[in-house]
Amino acid sequence: MNIYKGSDFDDFLHEEGIKEDVTAAALKRVLAWQLSQAMEEQGITQAEMARRMKTSRTVVRRLLDSDDTSVTLATLSRASIAVGEPLYLVYGDGRALQT
């Protein structure tokens, strides 16, 4: 018997108590992929990225690690500036904030 019949995937994640973790992991995977693509297109190494962000290569590696969800908005903002791409944050009603 399927106890989740009729509910959607978000309901399932919520009922299992993992919605926040799954959402954070999915967002981080997308961000890490987009950032690595921008770096690759521009020929930016991790060392160069760290220099541009005024941080360590360890921070850059964590930023590019799709499984590490502990990234700050400040780090994301510095990364977007380092690759010359805007960072847009959209919350709730769809109004975008750009760094």
Side-chain angles (χ1 to χ4, degrees), residues 17-26 69:
I18 59 174
K19 184 174 181 180
E20 292 82 8
D21 292 338
V22 170
T23 301
T69 58

Side-chain angles (χ1 to χ4, degrees), residues 2 8 12 29 52 57 59 70 86:
N2 182 359
D8 65 14
F12 167 77
R29 283 198 172 108
R52 290 182 184 194
R57 285 186 291 187
V59 169
S70 62

